[in-house]
Amino acid sequence: MKTTTPLLTPYKMGQFDLLHRVVLAPLTRQRAYGGVPQPHAAVYYAQRGSPGGFLISEGTRIAAGSPAAAARQEQESSSSFKDVPGIWAQEHVEAWRPVVDAVHAKGAVFFCQLWHVADDVVRQRQQQVSPQMSFDGRREELSSLRRVAAEDASGVVDWFRRAARNAIDAGFDGVEILGANGYFVDDEGQGANGLERRSRFALEVVEAVVREVGGHRVGVRLDQFAATPDEHALALHVVSWLSDRGVLYCHMIEPRVDERRRVSRRLLSFREAFGGTFMPAAGTGGRRATQRPGCGTPTWWHTGGSSWRTRTCRGEPLNECDHYSSQRQQDQSKTIY
């Protein structure tokens, strides 16, 4: 009797007919020189596309770094996130189009991850973090981060809205808003009113993007914040709100997977609160990931690529993770990693 691999079964995600549930996760590569996607990006993403597959782009900046630079549609230098692609200017829209076309030619669905790079907002602050060395030996000067100031919030919300429209104009099928890793919800507050206050900025961003391009084209990536009751309640509040607004999917980071449960205990409440597609970015891989059981509709997802899917199905070993090459600029690294 032939065994069905849950990850390789078809799934209808809103208007998108997917042939499997292996998703290319957003992977920062810092190879868009000057913030503009390069021709090698079309090769890189097309290699990872497959018929009925789903790809999420690397984090893509929504603005130039400061209100003044954004108004000029120029990119200010940012040492900690150099050469990540942008989507705020027409130049970016034009550069992304052949990349998106290459992915669509493979029959895959392609979403653009929208990223507000907090480092850009604070670049002019005097306080500095100790210099760091990159994987390829470059010395990087980093600025300390801060929350989005109240007077800047409305402008950042509009940056997200305009970036979403630009992504659709570039041909992307939709957008994913990066809300994980401290990029979204970090205002102080406690209790019911505190939840509203702490999540206000995040929800205003999502609301603006949904109004601009439609909830059927919007996903949100979140994490579980801290492992405390207050932080859990905050995450659950945000996930429930997203479900009520018709957001297409919730992409939630799960550092570890409990193989004995249909849904990890740590994500079960979020899965139950979200009515759309719930996509765990799970800390598992290889053959064990293909054996994960379903949990109703939607079921398990795994963030990988077409090579992962093919090799796992054949029982072939995966490449060892090469952190040194993942963000290098050599020609062979631009498409392999």
Side-chain angles (χ1 to χ4, degrees), residues 23-25 45-46 48-50 53-57 103 108-112:
V23 180
L24 177 69
Y45 283 108
R48 289 150 180 80
S50 62
F54 181 38
L55 280 65
I56 306 170
S57 81
V103 173
V109 176
F110 199 14
F111 271 41
C112 179

Side-chain angles (χ1 to χ4, degrees), residues 48-173:
R48 289 150 180 80
S50 62
F54 181 38
L55 280 65
I56 306 170
S57 81
E58 62 204 285
T60 303
R61 292 171 57 179
I62 63 170
S66 72
R72 298 191 303 269
Q73 292 196 341
E74 297 174 353
Q75 177 175 341
E76 294 181 345
S77 61
S78 174
S79 59
S80 57
F81 292 113
K82 181 181 179 182
D83 293 330
V84 297
I87 193 64
W88 72 84
Q90 188 61 32
E91 179 184 16
H92 303 133
V93 174
E94 298 297 335
W96 270 117
R97 280 177 178 154
V99 181
V100 177
D101 289 345
V103 173
H104 285 163
K106 287 294 189 76
V109 176
F110 199 14
F111 271 41
C112 179
Q113 189 188 71
L114 304 182
W115 185 16
H116 174 230
V117 182
D119 174 75
D120 293 337
V121 178
V122 299
R123 220 175 40 81
Q124 298 177 354
R125 297 183 71 198
Q126 295 182 354
Q127 184 180 357
Q128 295 288 316
V129 180
S130 299
Q132 305 291 317
M133 296 300 293
S134 65
F135 285 118
D136 56 357
R138 290 179 289 108
R139 178 186 172 93
E140 296 183 335
E141 300 288 341
L142 306 179
S143 299
S144 58
L145 306 182
R146 67 167 173 84
R147 298 182 180 92
V148 173
E151 61 269 23
D152 295 332
S154 61
V156 175
V157 169
D158 196 56
W159 283 349
F160 272 102
R161 180 194 63 79
R162 287 185 290 143
R165 173 50 57 191
N166 285 345
I168 299 303
D169 289 347
F172 282 100
D173 300 293

Side-chain angles (χ1 to χ4, degrees), residues 5-336:
T5 302
L7 279 172
L8 303 183
T9 56
Y11 177 71
K12 187 172 180 60
M13 184 176 71
Q15 64 182 354
F16 305 108
D17 294 313
L18 307 181
L19 296 184
H20 57 82
R21 309 172 191 226
V22 180
V23 180
L24 177 69
L27 303 167
T28 297
R29 289 296 177 259
Q30 296 183 253
R31 296 166 186 157
Y33 311 131
V36 179
Q38 302 295 304
H40 60 249
V43 178
Y44 174 87
Y45 283 108
Q47 286 176 336
R48 289 150 180 80
S50 62
F54 181 38
L55 280 65
I56 306 170
S57 81
E58 62 204 285
T60 303
R61 292 171 57 179
I62 63 170
S66 72
R72 298 191 303 269
Q73 292 196 341
E74 297 174 353
Q75 177 175 341
E76 294 181 345
S77 61
S78 174
S79 59
S80 57
F81 292 113
K82 181 181 179 182
D83 293 330
V84 297
I87 193 64
W88 72 84
Q90 188 61 32
E91 179 184 16
H92 303 133
V93 174
E94 298 297 335
W96 270 117
R97 280 177 178 154
V99 181
V100 177
D101 289 345
V103 173
H104 285 163
K106 287 294 189 76
V109 176
F110 199 14
F111 271 41
C112 179
Q113 189 188 71
L114 304 182
W115 185 16
H116 174 230
V117 182
D119 174 75
D120 293 337
V121 178
V122 299
R123 220 175 40 81
Q124 298 177 354
R125 297 183 71 198
Q126 295 182 354
Q127 184 180 357
Q128 295 288 316
V129 180
S130 299
Q132 305 291 317
M133 296 300 293
S134 65
F135 285 118
D136 56 357
R138 290 179 289 108
R139 178 186 172 93
E140 296 183 335
E141 300 288 341
L142 306 179
S143 299
S144 58
L145 306 182
R146 67 167 173 84
R147 298 182 180 92
V148 173
E151 61 269 23
D152 295 332
S154 61
V156 175
V157 169
D158 196 56
W159 283 349
F160 272 102
R161 180 194 63 79
R162 287 185 290 143
R165 173 50 57 191
N166 285 345
I168 299 303
D169 289 347
F172 282 100
D173 300 293
V175 297
E176 176 180 284
I177 301 170
L178 176 56
N181 309 114
Y183 284 98
F184 236 16
V185 186
D186 59 358
D187 287 338
E188 299 296 335
Q190 295 180 349
N193 292 333
L195 293 180
E196 295 292 339
R197 183 164 60 253
R198 295 182 69 185
S199 61
R200 178 180 175 182
F201 171 69
L203 303 187
E204 286 182 355
V205 167
V206 176
E207 185 75 50
V209 173
V210 167
R211 286 179 178 175
E212 183 68 27
V213 302
H216 63 292
R217 287 178 166 175
V218 178
V220 178
R221 181 174 169 96
L222 296 171
D223 54 24
Q224 301 167 77
F225 312 115
T228 65
D230 283 348
E231 296 300 314
H232 179 91
L234 175 62
L236 191 59
H237 173 74
V238 173
V239 170
S240 299
W241 187 94
L242 296 176
S243 182
D244 292 341
R245 295 308 187 278
V247 168
L248 178 63
Y249 71 82
C250 178
H251 184 186
M252 204 155 191
I253 297 173
E254 180 183 29
R256 293 290 181 268
V257 172
D258 185 339
E259 298 290 347
R260 297 172 298 175
R261 297 183 176 87
R262 307 185 90 183
V263 179
S264 164
R265 177 187 299 171
R266 296 171 64 184
L267 290 189
L268 181 57
S269 59
F270 305 114
R271 166 66 188 90
E272 292 174 341
F274 190 74
T277 296
F278 188 78
M279 193 184 307
T284 188
R287 178 62 60 181
R288 290 201 299 175
T290 68
Q291 297 169 349
R292 298 289 298 279
C295 61
T297 302
T299 186
W300 284 107
W301 297 75
H302 184 83
T303 48
S306 59
S307 175
W308 183 96
R309 178 174 58 89
T310 301
R311 293 188 184 194
T312 301
C313 291
R314 295 175 179 174
E316 298 174 353
L318 303 178
N319 289 342
E320 293 293 329
C321 182
D322 186 349
H323 292 292
Y324 180 70
S325 297
S326 64
Q327 295 181 347
R328 296 185 73 189
Q329 306 303 318
Q330 282 81 352
D331 289 341
Q332 69 270 23
S333 296
K334 291 175 183 176
T335 56
I336 296 175

